[in-house]
Amino acid sequence: AQSVSQHNHHVILSEAASLELGCNYSYGGTVNLFWYVQYPGQHLQLLLKYFSGDPLVKGIKGFEAEFIKSKFSFNLRKPSVQWSDTAEYFCAVNVPRTGGFKTIFGAGTRLFVKA
Amino acid sequence: ETGVTQTPRHLVMGMTNKKSLKCEQHLGHNAMYWYKQSAKKPLELMFVYSLEERVENNSVPSRFSPECPNSSHLFLHLHTLQPEDSALYLCASSQDRTDTQYFGPGTRLTVL
């Protein structure tokens, strides 16, 4: 069965530190890839997405992610985090299946940035 | 962001009650979703509707009953729930089933 794995459940960083959150998926075909973010008290929202083209995609608030097809990975990065980046981050993969498509979410990574 | 709204925002119910959660999307999307978000668990997809037709039911117990009367509205009818059903229930919509999902704020459900 298809799955999405996020390697870190909790990450604690100081402001200005660099961030990389891992995401791997298990599906051999063409996929659409997403990172969503849920700030405290707010709803889930899109951070960035990859459908095709340049495998390095840029999103809001200085985030970027790189799709590496050979590694089935879509890691999220930010060179210098801010306190306001404290949130939960979800990787998601949209895959084709019988009868349509399905989006599978990872378990999420809680990021806490110390001021 | 008021693209997807959910009511009520909080709900406390007993195990014998019947209640409904409502979701409305103002984005002109064709697909709508119900998810369950519990602490320390991945987001669980419950139901998917595409063009008002239910296209996915992820082995959800029959005490949860979805309804999609039109492309803008989605309901989740609840009856004889269990305490373990306490969670945040999220509604989402998307243009189609491959694209970005837009989430509502959720309904925080507590079953006593």
Side-chain angles (χ1 to χ4, degrees):
Chain A
Q2 298 98 0
S3 64
V4 176
S5 175
Q6 292 184 239
H7 313 301
N8 308 98
H9 294 298
H10 293 89
V11 173
I12 301 174
L13 295 173
S14 298
E15 276 197 311
S18 65
L19 170 72
E20 180 159 3
L21 301 182
C23 173
N24 286 88
Y25 62 94
S26 60
Y27 181 74
T30 302
V31 296
N32 291 341
L33 298 156
F34 306 83
W35 276 98
Y36 289 87
V37 61
Q38 188 171 30
Y39 297 103
Q42 295 188 30
H43 55 269
L44 267 165
Q45 57 189 287
L46 181 72
L47 200 55
L48 49 78
K49 64 182 179 183
Y50 172 81
F51 284 9
S52 64
D54 188 344
L56 184 63
V57 291
K58 297 192 184 296
I60 60 172
K61 303 187 179 184
F63 285 90
E64 64 179 31
E66 184 175 15
F67 170 49
I68 303 179
K69 189 173 182 179
S70 60
K71 294 186 178 179
F72 302 95
S73 70
F74 190 54
N75 292 354
L76 181 70
R77 299 195 292 250
K78 185 170 183 179
S80 176
V81 295
Q82 300 173 310
W83 176 81
S84 58
D85 293 324
T86 294
E88 190 161 15
Y89 294 81
F90 295 89
C91 180
V93 177
N94 182 265
V95 299
R97 51 178 286 173
T98 305
F101 294 84
K102 180 174 183 176
T103 299
I104 304 163
F105 283 81
T109 297
R110 286 186 183 271
L111 170 66
F112 180 72
V113 180
K114 298 183 291 185
Chain B
E1 175 67 55
T2 57
V4 181
T5 57
Q6 290 186 243
T7 53
R9 295 291 306 275
H10 300 270
L11 178 63
V12 179
M13 59 188 289
M15 290 193 286
T16 57
N17 291 159
K18 289 185 180 181
K19 296 286 184 183
S20 295
L21 310 185
K22 179 183 176 182
C23 174
E24 184 172 0
Q25 58 102 354
H26 312 273
L27 301 168
H29 288 166
N30 293 318
M32 294 187 78
Y33 311 78
W34 279 117
Y35 288 91
K36 177 182 179 182
Q37 188 177 31
S38 306
K40 301 181 181 179
K41 286 178 126 181
L43 207 58
E44 298 174 54
L45 178 65
M46 300 175 71
F47 301 103
V48 181
Y49 277 81
S50 179
L51 298 171
E52 301 155 46
E53 179 184 348
R54 190 192 310 179
V55 295
E56 189 144 356
N57 175 347
N58 261 10
S59 303
V60 180
S62 59
R63 58 186 183 268
F64 295 91
S65 174
E67 178 190 2
C68 187
N70 54 61
S71 60
S72 299
H73 293 87
L74 186 65
F75 294 89
L76 188 63
H77 303 300
L78 317 171
H79 64 98
T80 59
L81 294 191
Q82 305 297 312
E84 60 265 28
D85 296 323
S86 298
L88 183 67
Y89 288 83
L90 296 173
C91 174
S93 71
S94 61
Q95 183 58 47
D96 60 43
R97 291 173 63 195
T98 68
D99 208 342
T100 304
Q101 293 183 26
Y102 292 80
F103 287 83
T107 295
R108 174 69 63 187
L109 174 67
T110 303
V111 182
L112 301 176

